């Protein structure tokens, strides 16, 4: 069963491949599969959006971290 680590790795691979839409799709599917997003899955998705020129989506994700009780780290701030 996929966990947050495998999801984060897949999201990161999407980021490296320039597939920000797929990264967001994977991130959005986390909770549907009973997986809680963490700072790493958020950061990878934010970075994918930023690299894809989707700054509004990146900031939206960054701002949603607090609502989900996920504390940003240096990587999150750098990506946003």
């Amino acid at each position: 069963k996929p966990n947050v680590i495998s999801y984060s790795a897949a999201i990161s691979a999407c980021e490296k491949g320039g597939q920000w839409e797929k990264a967001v799709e994977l991130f959005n599917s986390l909770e549907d599969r009973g997986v809680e997003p963490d700072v790493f899955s958020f950061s990878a998705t934010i970075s994918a959006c930023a690299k894809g020129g989707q700054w509004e989506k990146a900031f939206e994700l960054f701002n949603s971290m607090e609502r989900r009780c996920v504390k940003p780290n240096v990587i999150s701030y750098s990506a946003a």
Side-chain angles (χ1 to χ4, degrees), residues 1 3 8 12 18 22-23 25 31-32 36 40-41 44-45 47 49 60-61 67 70-71 73 76-77 80:
K1 177 180 172 185
N3 61 22
S8 296
S12 184
K22 186 64 177 172
E25 182 182 316
E31 289 181 327
D32 294 340
E36 279 295 316
F40 301 108
S41 56
T45 310
S47 185
C49 290
E60 177 186 314
L61 283 163
R67 287 193 311 273
V70 177
K71 186 177 179 183
N73 63 12
S76 310
Y77 283 110

Side-chain angles (χ1 to χ4, degrees), residues 19-50:
Q19 300 293 318
W20 72 268
E21 298 101 331
K22 186 64 177 172
V24 170
E25 182 182 316
L26 283 168
F27 180 83
N28 289 337
S29 72
L30 280 169
E31 289 181 327
D32 294 340
R33 297 183 182 256
V35 179
E36 279 295 316
D38 66 4
V39 68
F40 301 108
S41 56
F42 266 104
S43 296
T45 310
I46 290 167
S47 185
C49 290

Side-chain angles (χ1 to χ4, degrees), residues 46-68:
I46 290 167
S47 185
C49 290
K51 287 183 179 177
Q54 304 300 310
W55 291 102
E56 288 181 11
K57 184 66 178 170
F59 282 123
E60 177 186 314
L61 283 163
F62 183 81
N63 290 330
S64 74
M65 291 177 80
E66 186 176 313
R67 287 193 311 273
R68 294 188 181 190

